[in-house]
Amino acid sequence: MGGKVPILKTIQKVPGGLMVVFLLLGAIVNTFAPKSLMIGSFTTALFKQGALPLIAVLLFCSGAQITIKTAGVALWKGFVLNTVKILLGISIGLVVGKLMGPEASLFGLTPLALIAAMANSNGGLYTALAQKYGDASDIGAVAIISTNDGPFFTMVAMGMTGLANIPIIAMVAVVVPIVIGMILGNLDEDMREFLAPGVMLSIPFFSFPLGAGLNLMDIAKAGIPGIALGLMTLLVTGIGGFFAYKYLIPSREKRSDAVGASIGTTAGNAAGTPAAIAAVDPTWAPYAAAATVQVGASIVITAILCPLLVDFLSRICKQHNNVAKEEGN
């Protein structure tokens, strides 16, 4: 018999609730009482600094659910979504820069801000959404999607490839937990079953510290351009990912096309990209400060709205599938 207060059931009624609710709680606490998360010991370790190790637990447990047969599917899904994310983000920024110049803008957004925000996705949020709406191969795709983290693709897009350096070891570090989990799961089915609950259990625990890295005031500081950047990132790359997933991933290899929209986010480390670009090419220095604030707004907005978009698209997919089944009968 359940408890008297239906906390879990209430959270689950919210689209992507296990992630969104705890992420918002973390953001609210960090915005209005940030010092409360920095008292040290277990409190700080869990609620402020725990995102990465807990995401690693999710990747490890998810890797155990990937069979040898589905490993190739995971790589293909990651390649498709990563390519769409990068190409859409870079294309819009380059078009604005080509037509208007670096000092010009679209809705008050320079090419630097556009590319930095739109070509860099939040791997943690993607993983959580893939767990809810997709399958093990969708989660495994994060091994490829994570390669868009950091300023590398922004530098490539802005003609600075000679000065960019891909940290190969960082990519390897993302894959290791998935591979080890996959090996254990394929060697022992009991181990696969044992690790399965860890996928769902870890989500609220890493969502809160992810939120604790956000500040809701960033939206106000960035103003309308920051909000526009967040919405463009969400809709352009999110919807683009949805259609790419829908038409480029075989039907038998997916649960819901809505998973493709999970790339409609901006990763937290994207906020450092404008400064990194300005450090390499000082001509961008005058635009770095404004771009940083705008990218920060995009991080917050997409973290909140992307789960809602994915849930909305999932409902549409289900309705479409139900209608198709009825017509088939």
Side-chain angles (χ1 to χ4, degrees):
M1 187 174 181
K4 293 182 179 180
V5 182
I7 297 175
L8 181 60
K9 290 183 178 179
T10 301
I11 291 175
Q12 290 175 331
K13 290 180 181 180
V14 178
L18 276 178
M19 179 182 61
V20 174
V21 170
F22 289 95
L23 184 142
L24 282 175
L25 285 174
I28 290 171
V29 174
N30 187 58
T31 301
F32 299 104
K35 292 184 179 179
S36 66
L37 298 174
M38 299 303 295
I39 62 176
S41 191
F42 301 117
T43 299
T44 300
L46 178 61
F47 295 112
K48 182 66 176 180
Q49 302 170 344
L52 282 180
L54 289 166
I55 290 174
V57 171
L58 174 61
L59 294 177
F60 185 92
C61 295
S62 299
Q65 312 310 309
I66 300 175
T67 63
I68 297 297
K69 294 180 180 179
T70 60
V73 176
L75 293 176
W76 174 244
K77 288 180 176 179
F79 173 78
V80 168
L81 293 179
N82 196 44
T83 300
V84 169
K85 177 72 174 177
I86 293 168
L87 288 182
L88 287 175
I90 287 176
S91 297
I92 291 178
L94 287 182
V95 168
V96 172
K98 190 76 172 179
L99 297 179
M100 306 178 185
E103 73 285 350
S105 63
L106 177 67
F107 307 128
L109 300 167
T110 62
L112 180 59
L114 288 164
I115 299 175
M118 299 183 71
N120 192 333
S121 58
N122 190 320
L125 289 179
Y126 167 83
T127 304
L129 291 169
Q131 190 283 325
K132 180 175 177 60
Y133 299 96
D135 54 29
S137 65
D138 290 304
I139 297 173
V142 75
I144 303 298
I145 294 173
S146 64
T147 61
N148 66 42
D149 283 354
F152 172 72
F153 288 109
T154 305
M155 289 182 177
V156 171
M158 299 172 76
M160 293 181 278
T161 54
L163 297 175
N165 182 28
I166 302 179
I168 300 298
I169 192 64
M171 300 181 194
V172 173
V174 173
V175 177
V176 168
I178 299 174
V179 172
I180 295 177
M182 182 178 169
I183 292 173
L184 289 176
N186 280 272
L187 290 176
D188 185 0
E189 291 186 7
D190 291 334
M191 182 63 76
R192 180 184 300 163
E193 293 179 6
F194 170 74
L195 293 172
V199 177
M200 182 71 72
L201 184 61
S202 59
I203 292 177
F205 287 99
F206 76 68
S207 295
F208 189 97
L210 276 180
L214 305 176
N215 191 316
L216 299 178
M217 292 300 127
D218 285 342
I219 299 177
K221 293 177 183 177
I224 294 178
I227 295 174
L229 181 59
L231 293 177
M232 286 179 63
T233 300
L234 174 75
L235 297 176
V236 174
T237 65
I239 299 299
F242 169 76
F243 282 110
Y245 191 95
K246 179 180 179 66
Y247 293 111
L248 296 178
I249 306 298
S251 298
R252 66 181 181 278
E253 306 292 358
K254 55 189 176 181
R255 254 181 76 194
S256 172
D257 293 325
V259 174
S262 300
I263 61 171
T265 58
T266 300
N269 63 5
T273 296
I277 298 299
V280 174
D281 185 351
T283 60
W284 289 98
Y287 315 105
T292 298
V293 175
Q294 292 165 353
V295 171
S298 182
I299 293 168
V300 177
I301 291 170
T302 57
I304 296 171
L305 296 183
C306 189
L308 302 181
L309 173 65
V310 174
D311 185 78
F312 173 72
L313 292 173
S314 177
R315 293 174 186 273
I316 290 180
C317 291
K318 287 181 180 179
Q319 292 177 357
H320 176 76
N321 292 336
N322 290 336
V323 171
K325 289 180 180 179
E326 291 176 0
E327 291 178 351
N329 294 331

